[in-house]
């Protein structure tokens, strides 16, 4: 499906990957270690770009456009970093999608009494709501 979401990543404040989900068969076929490496590389790159930015207080990289994909990032006030990859033809605003994912995270992960901060996310309700959100987003695209 042209313009579709590819993958979602959530990094904790230390830059460690705590959640990853592929939404499309077109997403890169990576093993667990490659996803961990990709997430930490993105976190390091964002930190470097924040330091290189001529704008004081810049959050670093928010959008990266390449020939084969778009990467949109969203930083929370608590230090989490959400980023999504999508096909270049994507017309829907990815930042809106990431903000909605953050709302789901707040509602279903943070309110889960068994979840420990900065640990990998294993929450069925979050997974279900995220799948529905991605499906609705792709239908609009």
């Amino acid at each position: 499906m042209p313009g579709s979401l590819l993958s979602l990543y959530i990094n904790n404040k230390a830059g460690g990957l705590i959640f990853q989900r592929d939404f499309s068969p077109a997403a890169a076929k990576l093993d667990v270690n490659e996803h961990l490496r990709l997430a930490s590389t993105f976190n390091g790159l964002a930190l470097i770009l924040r330091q290189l930015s001529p704008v004081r207080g810049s959050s670093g990289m928010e959008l990266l456009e390449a020939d084969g994909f778009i990467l949109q990032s969203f930083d929370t006030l608590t230090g989490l970093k959400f980023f999504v990859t999508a096909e270049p033809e994507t017309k829907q605003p990815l930042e809106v999608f990431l903000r909605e994912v953050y709302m789901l995270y707040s509602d279903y992960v943070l309110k889960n009494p068994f979840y420990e901060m900065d640990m990998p996310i294993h929450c069925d309700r979050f997974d279900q709501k995220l799948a529905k959100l991605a499906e609705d987003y792709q239908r609009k695209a």
Side-chain angles (χ1 to χ4, degrees), residues 128-141:
Q128 293 165 1
K129 296 292 184 177
L130 179 61
K132 172 125 177 54
L133 175 66
E135 182 180 305
D136 291 347
Y137 182 90
Q138 308 233 62
R139 196 171 325 135
K140 292 177 191 175

Side-chain angles (χ1 to χ4, degrees), residues 101-112:
V101 171
Y102 179 53
M103 287 178 20
L104 293 177
Y105 171 81
S106 298
D107 287 342
Y108 297 101
V109 177
L110 291 181
K111 293 177 183 174
N112 180 344

Side-chain angles (χ1 to χ4, degrees), residues 29-141:
K29 307 294 184 260
L30 304 174
D31 66 28
V32 174
N33 287 331
E34 290 170 323
H35 281 297
L36 289 167
R37 195 171 322 120
L38 175 67
S40 78
T41 299
F42 174 73
N43 198 69
L45 182 61
L47 287 172
I48 291 168
L49 291 174
R50 180 179 301 139
Q51 292 175 349
L52 292 176
S53 174
V55 178
R56 193 172 195 99
S58 171
S59 65
M61 180 172 55
E62 292 180 8
L63 177 67
L64 173 69
E65 294 183 28
D67 291 339
F69 69 95
I70 297 171
L71 185 147
Q72 178 79 45
S73 172
F74 172 69
D75 294 341
T76 69
L77 295 175
T78 58
L80 292 177
K81 183 176 291 294
F82 291 70
F83 61 102
V84 64
T85 57
E87 293 182 341
E89 303 83 22
T90 302
K91 300 293 184 233
Q92 295 281 50
L94 295 170
E95 185 175 357
V96 171
F97 174 77
L98 288 173
R99 287 183 185 276
E100 290 181 25
V101 171
Y102 179 53
M103 287 178 20
L104 293 177
Y105 171 81
S106 298
D107 287 342
Y108 297 101
V109 177
L110 291 181
K111 293 177 183 174
N112 180 344
F114 301 107
Y115 179 68
E116 293 184 40
M117 290 297 293
D118 295 331
M119 296 304 292
I121 298 169
H122 302 289
C123 179
D124 291 338
R125 294 281 302 192
F126 176 71
D127 288 340
Q128 293 165 1
K129 296 292 184 177
L130 179 61
K132 172 125 177 54
L133 175 66
E135 182 180 305
D136 291 347
Y137 182 90
Q138 308 233 62
R139 196 171 325 135
K140 292 177 191 175

